[in-house]
Structures are given as C-alpha cells and as structure tokens.
Amino acid sequence: MGLSLVRPLEARIASAEKEREMVLGLSVIERVAFVATNAGYWYLVSLMVFGRYRLGADTPGWPCTVDALGGVCTAVCTAVATNGVAVVPSVLLVVVALASTSMHTAQMRVCPSCVFSAGDVEWFHEPQTVATLRKLDVSCVLIVLAVGGACVGWVKGLSSVVCVLPIHFASIVARSHGYGRVYIWLHGAWHLGSALAIINLLVPP
C-alpha cells in the first residue's frame, strides 16, 4: 500500500525534473518566442474588444446561432456593453489568454529577476506552480469548448478545431518524451492555429 502511494509521487517528481531539463535545454530566445505565440489569443481579444467582431445591432446574438441551453447562450451573446463589446465572450477569451500566457511563462522560466528586480520569484517556476497553472489553462480551454459547442453548435465548433487538435496532442507526446524543440514548435502552432480557429468561428455571416 505504501509503495503504491510513493510511486506516483516519485513519477511526478521525475516528470517535473525531466520537463525542467527539457526547458533549460532550449535557448532563451526559443523560450521567449514560444511564449510569444500566445499573442494569437491576445489578438483575438483585441478583435473582440476593438475590432470587427464586436457585437452590435447589425449582428444581434451572433455567434450564438444555436442555443442548447434554453436561452442562456442568446442572453450571453446579446449581453453587450454600451460600446458594442460582447462582455461575456470577451472575458472568457481574456481568461484563456491570461491562463495560457501565465502557464507557459512559468513553464519556460522566462520570468526571472530581470523582470522582478526585487524578491525571490523562483516559486513561479516551481513544478507545483506550473502544474496548477496547466490545470487552469486546460480548464479554461474546456469551458470555452463547452460554451462554444452549446451556443454555436457542436458540428461547427468541432469542425473549426479538428485540423489543429492533432497538433496539440502531438505536442503533448513530444513534451512527455522530452523533445523540447519539437514541443515548442508543435504547441506554438497549436496556439496560433486554435486562435485562428476561434476567429473563424466568430466571423459573422
């Protein structure tokens, strides 16, 4: 019984150490460039808040063309600020962008004392912090997928991301095997591809 409890802990420690070594095997430029691929999500946020995908009187309720939640989706999509910004979808996308950027910043160890001139920030790169942020990141993605499927339609929602999902799963395999450069290339492509998929999902008719 005792060994069965110890082994998973040892496995997690070994996995975290393997990931740390993988990350440190990458150059700072590679790590920063990888984190920068989250810019796709922030660009999407800017489109929602400032650009062409603001929901106004000309596209009421878009993109909630399907409502599997008994009117909830339509209410969410039509809840706009006075300047035409779709509040709830925009907030969801901001949370996704923050979660992904924070997790990968911690994972890639690109936020040392050069950013925070005072205090010890090593806790930000600890395996437990990275693991917690990863769970938050995945949870945010699942929430967005669930809301998107219910409000936009599962066929349209899944068809928009089906091309990039294999890239995401391949990046997980690469990370688990310690292939750092393969991982950042694939997962960076996932960031950009998924952002483009969401943009395509939000394009008004």
Side-chain angles (χ1 to χ4, degrees), residues 143-187:
I143 290 172
V144 169
L145 287 176
V147 172
C151 296
V152 180
W154 290 107
V155 174
K156 183 177 181 181
L158 290 175
S159 64
S160 67
V161 298
V162 68
C163 293
V164 292
L165 277 176
I167 300 175
H168 175 63
F169 294 130
S171 74
I172 295 175
V173 173
R175 175 173 60 83
S176 66
H177 286 80
Y179 300 135
R181 287 183 176 83
V182 177
Y183 166 69
I184 62 174
W185 275 99
L186 289 174
H187 205 76

Side-chain angles (χ1 to χ4, degrees), residues 35-131:
V35 174
T37 60
N38 286 286
Y41 298 134
W42 292 108
Y43 176 64
L44 177 56
V45 169
S46 73
L47 289 179
M48 287 293 291
V49 176
F50 304 110
R52 59 182 295 190
Y53 301 137
R54 292 194 305 171
L55 304 184
D58 54 333
T59 54
W62 184 262
C64 295
T65 53
V66 176
D67 197 337
L69 298 178
V72 174
C73 295
T74 302
V76 165
C77 281
T78 53
V80 298
T82 54
N83 61 352
V85 176
V87 178
V88 177
S90 296
V91 169
L92 279 174
L93 292 173
V94 168
V95 171
V96 168
L98 276 174
S100 182
T101 304
S102 299
M103 193 281 280
H104 291 300
T105 299
Q107 177 194 38
M108 291 290 124
R109 307 177 71 85
V110 293
C111 193
S113 56
C114 61
V115 177
F116 297 99
S117 57
D120 181 13
V121 296
E122 185 61 26
W123 64 269
F124 188 62
H125 307 296
E126 289 295 325
Q128 186 58 46
T129 303
V130 175

Side-chain angles (χ1 to χ4, degrees), residues 1-8:
M1 180 68 70
L3 289 176
S4 64
L5 294 174
V6 171
R7 285 175 181 173

